[in-house]
Amino acid sequence: MADTLALTQRPAWKALSEHYRQIRDVHLRTLFDRDPHRGERFAVEGAGLYLDYSKHRVTEDTMRLLFDLARDSGLRERIDAMFAGERINITENRAVLHVALRAPRGSSIMVDGENVVPAVHAVLDRMSDFSRRIRDGSWKGHTGKRIRNIVNVGIGGSDLGPVMAYEALRHYADPALNCRFVSNVDGTDFVVATSALDPAETLFIISSKTFTTLETMTNARTAREWILGALRDDNAIAKHFVAVSTNRAEVAKFGIDTRNMFEFWDWVGGRYSMDSAIGLSTMIAVGPENFRAMLDGFHAVDEHFRTAPFERNLPVIMGLLTVWYNDFFGAQTVGVFPYDQYLKRFPAYLQQLTMESNGKHVTLQGRHLDYQSGPVFWGEPGTNGQHSFFQLIHQGTKLIPADFIAFCRPLNPLGRHHDLLIANVIAQAEALAFGKTPEQVKAEGTPEWLVPHRVCEGNRPSSVIMADQLTPETLGKLVALYEHSVFTQGCIWEIDSFDQWGVELGKVLALKIIPELEADTEPQLHHDSSTNALIRRYRERRKPS
Ligand code: F6P
């Protein structure tokens, strides 16, 4: 890092603060009036993705200052450090190498003096072989029946990526296979996911980096009882359970043959793992070739991020724009609106990726932040959101920068549907930016008293990310785009984007409360008065009357 001063004291930050004061009231209408080519000049294409960021409240000066900030924050060096396998996750003392998961065969990425790429491809080859055997029916269940149901049991990164990818790539999935996902420790999740399934035709993939997560291990034990209850033979486990984990010892302890375990490594964060063996359900559903095409998409954006100049680097631009609104305009959230029904779980996936990564309160050195870190990410697919919460984005008092994601060619061409869908994306971005002035509203014959209600002030920023079609490759590109945007933000904020200490406390407290709920005799409670009262009330009332 070029400067050891605290972020807000650095000249690059101060220059942006000063610039913000000059630009904060400038309307997007003015920016577009001033430059008739703005729509083309503030757009970049990389790795086959098109990013239109012209409808952001930025000028060339803004972007120059943001790129200065990125350079001053050592972004280039941080990118190089990640790709070189340095232990940039300092609080867990780990390398951060999800980029190695999609490195081409024959390339080299070193961790502690060892090239990890051959091991990555060895696991991919085993996954491919296993996926083919499930897909062609040569892997049989214990009774000799073909496997038709795949149930992934996992939570957080061991669930959200697989679910999102399965939904996103459903068009490419084998319709003869039925994929389901169990994550919640709420028994309803297991019951609903396994309803109407024949255990003799069901394979469970127990996905857990640590293989100790309460929810996953509880669901895994229930799954084992469900299988054994129906098939009545311990030998059935070998045909109906496989594991995806970094923890061989715990997998063996659970009773899964480690020959049926697909490995990944501590340098893959949970929320960065959908392209590791955690993607086994995805590979079974869409086939090894499609899975590898997805990895190629990831890799194309990795290379773009690693090599493109910041001025033409999509994840860098997206990350810097997030910092701009979050830290200077005081925006609290980012809305992500994929205009594609297959991407319905993409916002939920992004919530873990962005918020577990950048929801941090101290710098890498442990200093409390005196600026805002990660915003809240949320969203729903379009056009549905337009008929629920978009009102607030258009006319509410909160500034919500939006990402629109759209594809030029539909996977399910149906009459005019796709043109209507895409007209809506483009119209929303236009409406948010330019709004409707009082003069325009009056000119429509609106009575004076109604005018303020109908005015849309505009000046609401948005990006449009456009790709040709939702393919496995495009999905990989989109995910990598956000992964590296998150990295860019974390670098500016000087935080560790790869740990998640905040989730530990609740887990530990739950472990203390479980025996208090389950004790046969009234336990001595030593919590605060609220916690004690809740435990007592639950104990009193949990039995059906
Ligand atoms: O509790 C948060 C978390 O640790 C996530 O970071 C992770 O993706 C999830 O739990 C699941 O962890 P595991 O894969 O070890 O079961």
Side-chain angles (χ1 to χ4, degrees), residues 128-145:
S128 301
D129 180 53
F130 180 70
S131 301
R132 284 201 188 94
R133 291 171 70 195
I134 296 288
R135 288 166 66 86
D136 68 16
S138 57
W139 178 286
K140 303 258 187 289
H142 183 62
T143 64
K145 279 188 166 179

Side-chain angles (χ1 to χ4, degrees), residues 46-49 79 82-83 99 102 294-308 313-316 318 473-485:
L49 298 175
I79 295 172
M82 173 169 73
F83 278 83
V99 294
R102 51 266 190 155
M294 183 180 81
L295 298 183
D296 291 345
F298 272 102
H299 181 66
V301 170
D302 293 344
E303 283 305 282
H304 169 79
F305 181 54
R306 193 176 66 81
T307 59
N313 194 314
L314 274 71
V316 169
M318 283 173 61
E473 195 176 351
T474 315
L475 181 68
K477 289 178 184 179
L478 276 177
V479 174
L481 185 65
Y482 280 93
E483 285 177 348
H484 298 320
S485 168

Side-chain angles (χ1 to χ4, degrees), residues 155-158 207-211 213 216 270-271 352 356 500 503 507:
I155 197 163
S158 301
S207 298
S208 174
K209 180 173 172 180
T210 54
F211 231 72
T213 304
T216 302
R271 53 195 176 272
Q352 188 196 11
E356 200 167 64
Q500 55 284 317
V503 297
K507 291 186 195 175

Side-chain angles (χ1 to χ4, degrees), residues 157-412:
S158 301
D159 167 69
L160 287 163
V163 183
M164 182 279 286
Y166 175 64
E167 293 296 343
L169 300 179
R170 244 185 139 137
H171 188 78
Y172 304 87
D174 181 346
L177 289 169
N178 182 9
C179 286
R180 300 203 178 168
F181 300 86
V182 179
S183 55
N184 201 334
V185 75
D186 180 345
T188 300
D189 205 13
F190 185 88
V191 169
V192 171
T194 52
S195 68
L197 299 189
D198 176 357
E201 298 182 339
T202 302
L203 174 81
F204 285 96
I205 303 176
I206 311 300
S207 298
S208 174
K209 180 173 172 180
T210 54
F211 231 72
T212 56
T213 304
L214 173 89
E215 292 89 336
T216 302
M217 297 327 294
T218 305
N219 281 319
R221 280 189 285 272
T222 301
R224 188 170 53 192
E225 283 162 24
W226 187 80
I227 286 286
L228 292 179
L231 304 182
R232 307 203 162 278
D233 183 350
D234 283 353
N235 293 324
I237 300 296
K239 289 291 173 195
H240 293 270
F241 280 82
V242 296
V244 178
S245 189
T246 59
N247 192 340
R248 193 165 283 273
E250 285 296 326
V251 168
K253 207 156 106 193
F254 179 82
I256 296 178
D257 187 339
T258 48
R259 280 174 301 182
N260 293 337
M261 167 181 163
F262 298 87
E263 186 191 8
F264 64 116
W265 305 271
D266 72 352
W267 40 261
V268 182
R271 53 195 176 272
Y272 296 87
S273 66
M274 60 168 275
D275 47 343
S276 71
I278 289 290
L280 184 61
S281 58
T282 316
M283 190 192 270
I284 293 173
V286 302
E289 289 73 24
N290 280 322
F291 193 85
R292 284 177 195 256
M294 183 180 81
L295 298 183
D296 291 345
F298 272 102
H299 181 66
V301 170
D302 293 344
E303 283 305 282
H304 169 79
F305 181 54
R306 193 176 66 81
T307 59
F310 290 169
E311 288 73 8
R312 307 209 54 79
N313 194 314
L314 274 71
V316 169
I317 292 171
M318 283 173 61
L320 290 173
L321 289 170
T322 303
V323 172
W324 177 231
Y325 293 112
N326 190 64
D327 293 274
F328 296 94
F329 283 84
Q332 296 283 330
T333 80
V334 177
V336 181
F337 310 123
Y339 275 59
D340 191 296
Q341 194 58 24
Y342 284 125
L343 288 182
K344 65 181 180 189
R345 296 292 288 165
F346 193 64
Y349 170 78
L350 279 189
Q351 286 189 320
Q352 188 196 11
L353 176 65
T354 58
M355 290 156 73
E356 200 167 64
S357 296
N358 283 344
K360 305 292 161 66
H361 69 142
V362 294
T363 63
L364 288 162
Q365 290 76 30
R367 239 187 2 245
H368 206 276
L369 304 183
D370 61 354
Y371 46 88
Q372 291 287 312
S373 63
V376 173
F377 274 72
W378 61 282
E380 278 288 319
T383 58
N384 295 3
Q386 289 174 213
H387 298 273
S388 58
F389 51 77
F390 267 53
Q391 165 64 31
L392 185 147
I393 310 179
H394 284 288
Q395 282 191 317
T397 52
K398 294 180 171 54
L399 181 73
I400 303 180
D403 284 357
F404 292 101
I405 301 172
F407 301 96
C408 298
R409 292 196 296 274
L411 288 169
N412 295 299

Side-chain angles (χ1 to χ4, degrees), residues 16 30 56 116 140 178 248 275 316 414 451 544:
L16 272 163
T30 311
H56 279 288
V116 295
K140 303 258 187 289
N178 182 9
R248 193 165 283 273
D275 47 343
V316 169
L414 192 62
V451 170

